[in-house]
Amino acid sequence: MDERTERVRRMYDRASGGYDRGERLQRFVIGDARPRLCGRAEGRVLEVAVGTGQNLGHYPPGVELTGVDLSPGMLARARARAAGLGLRAELVEGDAQELAFADGAFDTVLCALALCTIPDQRRALGEMRRVLRPGGLLLLVDHIEYTRWPLRVREAGKERPRRLPRTVAEEVGFGVEEHGRTALGFVEHVVARRTG
Ligand SMILES: C[S@@+](CC[C@H](N)C(=O)[O-])C[C@H]1O[C@@H](n2cnc3c(N)ncnc32)[C@H](O)[C@@H]1O
């Protein structure tokens, strides 16, 4: 694992104890994005960067759920949440940039509010494509860097804004079927399918 990814892991391990305190505020910002996207999941589902499992209760009954996250601290909370909800889910430690799953192993891949923290989002989206079966469903919701005046926001020290997950998804082999913005344009959701 490279140093940047290791740093992200340490950061989320430290933050894991307090992460869910922001759940209410986040709901205000992202609206009903969680139930709306999770509700479309079908079959064998992989949630990448599952965190503390805030999406777990929103999946339809009958899906076969696997979650992966870099941080053992976040995963411990996700496991406790799954147990509390009486859900069966395989929750494992791993790196989104190097997924330990076979090609075409899933019908749906979902990733929420995490691509913005993964150092190499192109590699992560390439891995999501690899583990999806051809025609499989990709569901994303993420913060984006707003580039239009007057709300121009950019990470300190970066010359160019982070690229839109939707654009990168198209480049690595997804066909985008639907996308839209919430939270004054700061959060984008994407529904796409693996092409080829
Ligand atoms: C902002 S939290 C979002 C958690 C969850 N998806 C949600 O919607 O609440 C970002 C999560 O991404 C995870 N993460 C960051 N980089 C990762 C990577 N390379 N591979 C897997 N998980 C990663 C962090 O550990 C953290 O749990």
Side-chain angles (χ1 to χ4, degrees), residues 5 8 12 19 26 34 47-52 54-55 68-71 74 94-97 112-114 117-119:
T5 306
V8 173
Y12 276 102
Y19 184 79
Q26 208 175 60
R34 289 185 191 280
E47 183 169 339
V48 172
V50 65
T52 61
Q54 288 192 19
N55 289 323
V68 63
D69 200 280
L70 201 54
S71 154
M74 297 291 272
D95 182 355
Q97 301 156 118
L113 310 176
T117 71
I118 296 171

Side-chain angles (χ1 to χ4, degrees), residues 32-41 110 139-141 189-191:
D32 65 350
R34 289 185 191 280
R36 221 161 13 93
L37 280 193
C38 294
R40 298 176 79 142
L110 184 142
L139 302 166
L140 302 175
V141 58
H189 75 267
V190 178
V191 177

